[in-house]
Amino acid sequence: MEKGFEISDLQAALKVLRKGGIILYPTDTVWGIGCDATNSEAVRRIFALKRREDSKSMLVLLDSEEKLNRYVDVPNAAASLTQACAEGRPLTIIYPNACGVAPELIAEDGSIGIRITSEPFSKALCAGLGKPLVSTSANISGEPAAPTYAKISEQIITGVDYVCRYRRNDNTPQQPSAIIKINKDNTFNIIRQ
């Protein structure tokens, strides 16, 4: 596994994101396709690249829990679920009442999936962008998620505006996050363990 990332790699990715581009980048789970989550045009480009139905929402990454309230109403159940269910594995929580992001990211019921990333590069991307970062697996919709960079299809690699250099040589297979949906009444459903 690579130790640290190059600042020039981070800066190049941020430059593309700020101009409305899409990137391929390592996350705390599998490699992701990302863009500024407030930019509708960029979000639509990712849907097109993945050949994904608009009705299937994509999750976003944030670099800190303190920023959650800008984009969702955080139910009381969220804090205890984060601690009880994650057990060290990345956890995506689907929150009700999403706001402040591209409408294409909000599910029909008004919810959005958000994961607080602790992975250094994706965390630095979120912090540098100052906005949520779309994070959807680097694959065509319906195909398996690529567990490493080497398994990402050429179609995805050539379809983005920038491919981050960090962790390209990391061959440690990664798994998708656990997913929990919190409902407006503070009940929850486990979507993926």
Side-chain angles (χ1 to χ4, degrees), residues 58-192:
M58 296 183 283
L59 69 93
V60 301
L61 296 181
L62 288 175
D63 59 312
S64 71
E65 287 186 32
E66 291 75 34
K67 295 179 181 175
L68 275 174
N69 286 328
R70 297 178 193 175
Y71 307 103
V72 292
D73 291 331
V74 182
N76 296 333
S80 57
L81 280 175
T82 301
Q83 293 172 350
C85 299
E87 297 177 3
R89 182 174 173 193
L91 174 65
T92 299
I93 298 179
I94 300 172
Y95 294 93
N97 304 318
C99 64
V101 296
E104 296 83 357
L105 294 173
I106 300 173
E108 288 181 13
D109 66 357
S111 66
I112 189 167
I114 299 177
R115 188 168 68 245
I116 307 300
T117 183
S118 59
E119 189 277 328
F121 192 80
S122 56
K123 188 176 185 82
L125 279 173
C126 291
L129 186 61
K131 299 176 185 177
L133 180 64
V134 168
S135 182
T136 185
S137 57
N139 61 308
I140 301 299
S141 192
E143 295 179 1
T148 63
Y149 175 79
K151 300 287 185 182
I152 299 170
S153 76
E154 190 65 25
Q155 183 176 359
I156 295 293
I157 292 170
T158 60
V160 300
D161 301 309
Y162 183 74
V163 180
C164 296
R165 295 184 302 271
Y166 180 60
R167 285 184 39 206
R168 282 193 200 179
N169 297 321
D170 181 359
N171 291 315
T172 308
Q174 301 295 320
Q175 296 293 316
S177 68
I179 302 175
I180 295 175
K181 181 174 184 177
I182 301 177
N183 303 304
K184 291 179 183 178
D185 63 0
N186 256 342
T187 61
F188 66 91
N189 305 84
I190 297 172
I191 308 296
R192 181 170 63 208

Side-chain angles (χ1 to χ4, degrees), residues 18-75:
R18 289 180 184 128
K19 288 183 175 181
I22 61 176
I23 65 169
L24 183 59
Y25 69 106
T27 75
D28 52 344
T29 60
V30 295
W31 272 72
I33 304 170
C35 71
D36 172 350
T38 66
N39 184 321
S40 286
E41 185 177 325
V43 170
R44 286 192 297 269
R45 282 188 60 208
I46 292 177
F47 274 110
L49 176 61
K50 286 182 63 79
R51 293 189 223 145
R52 189 174 181 137
E53 296 174 30
D54 291 353
S55 61
K56 288 188 158 189
S57 57
M58 296 183 283
L59 69 93
V60 301
L61 296 181
L62 288 175
D63 59 312
S64 71
E65 287 186 32
E66 291 75 34
K67 295 179 181 175
L68 275 174
N69 286 328
R70 297 178 193 175
Y71 307 103
V72 292
D73 291 331
V74 182

